[in-house]
Amino acid sequence: MPVDDGLIGGIHVTRLARAEAGAPHDHEAFQASTLDALMRGSLRGDLTIGELLRHGDLGLGTLDLLDGELIVVDGEALIARVDGSVSPVDPATCTPFAVVCRFAADTEGPIADARGFDAVTAAVDALAPPRAACLAVRIDGRVAHARVRSVARQDQPNPTLAAAVAGQAVWELHDLEATVVGFRFPRDAAGLELPGWHLHLVSADRTAGGHVLDLSLDHGTIRVEHESELVVEVPAGVDVGHAGADAARDAALDDFER
């Protein structure tokens, strides 16, 4: 189905042009473009990080031509690059894809001895409000192990997401204090967003981070907020594709993101 006003898995989704985007509301996530558009080659952003931060203080995404993994925490935008470094993002830098929210936890709880991505996300799911289709999460704690990745800026002619991910850098992190942020979207939102859990991590000292491929936690605190609204700002001239079932696209998403 087209990405437009409607219900996708219990989330009210609104597509807006740039001039229509207003102030954020409670339980509302704001998204720049779509994953389907990114997969179709729309890797140049027209929304600046400064503009993005007006809509949220927690989130994730990437930068113009996929120049690393974006982490938004406490209203600060940070980028984890392929050399393993983390640095603040210039507010004038553009993003081709990001999602943020004004994070105010509905519930929180402890997590301990969670070994593996599935164990961590199951602990978050257990705290979720009943029937919540979309969740935003923040986890602060001691990371025993994380496997993270980043992608390099794509300057070649006709850059693609597939080429970026094929050349991704992957590395391991051990025994550090960190913050993990991210979102859970339903399967029906595939193409609009990544279905399931999408997490990014940054160390407490802001020196390491990336897109989370695997994660084990010794202990920490989970904070969860449900999102009932998703506002999608679509750049002029961008083909956003469609949301919903698409076996080939969904398989590619799993490959790219996990």
Side-chain angles (χ1 to χ4, degrees):
M1 76 186 195
V3 179
D4 208 334
D5 289 2
L7 292 172
I8 295 181
I11 311 168
H12 184 252
V13 181
T14 306
R15 173 181 171 176
L16 296 177
R18 169 67 57 79
E20 298 174 303
H25 300 109
D26 293 342
H27 302 290
E28 176 184 282
F30 174 87
Q31 185 169 303
S33 196
T34 71
L35 268 180
D36 213 359
L38 208 64
M39 294 178 71
R40 290 165 178 260
S42 298
L43 305 187
R44 286 196 176 274
D46 74 338
L47 186 80
T48 69
I49 294 300
E51 291 170 319
L52 180 73
L53 293 180
R54 295 174 192 165
H55 296 276
D57 54 18
L58 176 143
L60 47 72
T62 189
L63 296 186
D64 197 40
L65 292 173
L66 304 176
D67 191 14
E69 303 286 347
L70 177 67
I71 309 112
V72 176
V73 60
D74 294 328
E76 181 182 17
L78 303 160
I79 194 70
R81 291 198 164 90
V82 289
D83 63 0
S85 67
V86 171
S87 59
V89 182
D90 186 326
T93 304
C94 289
T95 174
F97 175 81
V99 57
V100 296
C101 67
R102 292 283 182 195
F103 188 73
D106 299 312
T107 186
E108 67 176 71
I111 185 170
D113 197 28
R115 303 302 173 192
F117 191 96
D118 290 345
V120 172
T121 55
V124 182
D125 289 336
L127 282 174
R131 297 178 298 280
C134 174
L135 299 178
V137 66
R138 173 174 177 160
I139 306 172
D140 296 281
R142 185 72 182 180
V143 173
H145 165 258
R147 188 168 184 254
V148 298
R149 75 108 186 269
S150 187
V151 295
R153 182 180 174 89
Q154 302 297 295
D155 288 320
Q156 74 272 22
N158 302 314
T160 66
L161 179 60
V165 175
Q168 70 183 0
V170 178
W171 62 96
E172 315 286 326
L173 300 172
H174 299 276
D175 300 322
L176 72 159
E177 297 292 326
T179 297
V180 178
V181 301
F183 294 89
R184 186 193 75 186
F185 282 91
R187 175 58 62 180
D188 286 348
L192 176 67
E193 250 290 353
L194 177 71
W197 281 106
H198 185 179
L199 303 176
H200 286 192
L201 173 152
V202 65
S203 61
D205 64 5
R206 306 298 192 254
T207 62
H211 172 103
V212 176
L213 299 173
D214 196 16
L215 179 66
S216 292
L217 294 169
D218 286 334
H219 55 80
T221 300
I222 303 169
R223 296 178 177 87
V224 177
E225 178 186 40
H226 82 276
E227 307 298 337
S228 55
E229 304 277 339
L230 179 63
V231 175
V232 182
E233 186 273 332
V234 180
V238 169
D239 179 2
V240 298
H242 67 281
D246 182 322
R249 191 267 319 283
D250 292 353
L253 274 174
D254 285 341
D255 185 45
F256 291 158
E257 295 299 322
R258 300 202 172 100

